[in-house]
Amino acid sequence: MTKQIYILNGPNLNLLGQREPEIYGRETLADVEARCAAIAGPWGVQVRLLQSNHEGQLIDWIHEARNIACGIVINPAAFTHTSVAILDALNAFEGPVIEVHISNVHKREAFRHHSYVSARAEGVIAGLGIEGYEAATRRVLTLVGA
Ligand code: DQA
């Protein structure tokens, strides 16, 4: 079976490139997918980029990843700060998990400073723009020995 990295994205990230570009930039999730695929491809690893505005859908994809993916890169967006359920789902996944935030959440409102997902993640990247997804993909490849 081809190795896969799941790149999961939470609410409002479907609007990446249009939404608050001064914070999140002008590139889209399609750009993120292309950049990460270019990094993973030479190692024989596919990326599967998914986005949902619904918590349960993200949880279902994390469960699906248990059977298919060697690692998860996740930007849970606002669910970062609220979702014990996503944390629990990630705890049921055995491979490496890297948490990504496009913006530097620590420079923003206090409610963005706490992440439930960080309690599970091998690494946390914030404030590198969409380059954070590339760094996270590289880190997963290192951790799985690709
Ligand atoms: C975000 C930061 C979150 O606080 C916010 O709710 C998002 C995006 C980021 O990528 O910087 O939607 O996860």
Side-chain angles (χ1 to χ4, degrees):
M1 193 182 11
T2 313
K3 281 195 204 168
Q4 283 195 24
I5 298 173
Y6 269 35
I7 304 180
L8 300 177
N9 294 275
N12 302 303
L13 288 168
N14 53 311
L15 298 179
L16 190 63
Q18 303 166 39
R19 163 204 188 204
E20 298 181 274
E22 66 289 355
I23 297 176
Y24 298 112
R26 297 213 174 265
E27 285 178 279
T28 65
L29 279 186
D31 297 318
V32 171
E33 186 172 29
R35 285 178 181 230
C36 294
I39 289 165
W43 299 97
V45 177
Q46 285 180 350
V47 300
R48 180 157 150 76
L49 186 141
L50 299 161
Q51 187 279 331
S52 179
N53 295 324
H54 305 280
E55 189 174 17
Q57 176 65 81
L58 292 162
I59 291 165
D60 287 346
W61 282 331
I62 294 166
H63 294 174
E64 182 184 288
R66 281 160 47 85
N67 303 317
I68 300 173
C70 59
I72 294 176
V73 172
I74 184 165
N75 182 347
F79 292 145
T80 307
H81 318 298
T82 62
S83 183
V84 176
I86 289 178
L87 169 63
D88 285 349
L90 290 169
N91 279 332
F93 177 78
E94 287 187 357
V97 173
I98 307 293
E99 177 183 349
V100 173
H101 300 287
I102 297 164
S103 65
N104 180 359
V105 283
H106 299 290
K107 208 177 162 187
R108 300 180 65 191
E109 303 95 321
F111 65 82
R112 297 186 201 276
H113 297 177
H114 177 262
S115 164
Y116 284 99
V117 171
S118 296
R120 164 64 181 86
E122 270 67 36
V124 182
I125 298 167
L128 299 192
I130 69 165
E131 289 170 45
Y133 290 90
E134 297 178 276
T137 300
R138 283 196 190 92
R139 186 63 184 155
V140 169
L141 291 168
T142 300
L143 290 173
V144 301

